[in-house]
Amino acid sequence: MYGKCKNLVPKYQRIASLQLLKRSVSVGFDCVAIERIKQSVPQSVSNAFDRHFWYSQWTLTQLFLIKIPINGQNTFFLFILGFGDDGWDNDANFIEVFDEQGEFIGASYLFK
């Protein structure tokens, strides 16, 4: 689960996801795997996931919502991974971060 550098990767719990699945690179995506939020999370975190989930209906996007305990408090990370420049800035990969109470901490591009 943590790869070769398990001491460098914090333990995390995946809360929800939307993944594009494919048969092969040349064929493209043929289905979507959706893992809905099934546990209690702050409303603002749930709203952020739902907002990006809604946008994903028109864009090629993967979403991953995870929870990582940092200094004894849960922190929520929403990863948004885009797959194409479609006018919605969907070629970007970025993260939104929320504290345990659901307060927005910040957002940043991961790479472009």
Side-chain angles (χ1 to χ4, degrees), residues 65-77:
L65 176 60
I66 65 170
K67 177 172 58 176
I68 299 175
I70 298 176
N71 292 331
Q73 293 198 5
N74 290 321
T75 306
F76 298 94
F77 296 84

Side-chain angles (χ1 to χ4, degrees), residues 18-22 29 31-33 59-62 81 83:
L18 181 147
Q19 297 180 63
L20 303 171
L21 305 176
K22 58 186 174 185
F29 302 104
C31 66
V32 175
T59 62
L60 293 175
T61 305
Q62 294 193 115
L81 309 173
F83 285 99

Side-chain angles (χ1 to χ4, degrees), residues 16-27:
S17 66
L18 181 147
Q19 297 180 63
L20 303 171
L21 305 176
K22 58 186 174 185
R23 284 183 260 162
S24 71
V25 174
S26 62
V27 173

Side-chain angles (χ1 to χ4, degrees), residues 15-105:
I15 305 293
S17 66
L18 181 147
Q19 297 180 63
L20 303 171
L21 305 176
K22 58 186 174 185
R23 284 183 260 162
S24 71
V25 174
S26 62
V27 173
F29 302 104
D30 61 350
C31 66
V32 175
I34 299 171
E35 180 182 9
R36 294 279 190 177
I37 297 173
K38 294 182 182 169
Q39 58 181 280
S40 180
V41 299
Q43 189 63 49
S44 58
V45 174
S46 178
N47 290 347
F49 182 83
D50 289 346
R51 180 180 68 251
H52 289 290
F53 187 89
W54 182 84
Y55 281 119
S56 75
Q57 296 176 70
W58 293 278
T59 62
L60 293 175
T61 305
Q62 294 193 115
L63 306 173
F64 297 93
L65 176 60
I66 65 170
K67 177 172 58 176
I68 299 175
I70 298 176
N71 292 331
Q73 293 198 5
N74 290 321
T75 306
F76 298 94
F77 296 84
L78 177 55
F79 293 91
I80 301 95
L81 309 173
F83 285 99
D85 190 2
D86 57 5
W88 290 60
D89 197 24
N90 196 40
D91 63 335
N93 296 292
F94 58 99
I95 185 172
E96 294 181 2
V97 183
F98 302 84
D99 71 10
E100 190 168 42
Q101 291 76 38
E103 290 294 318
F104 179 72
I105 294 173

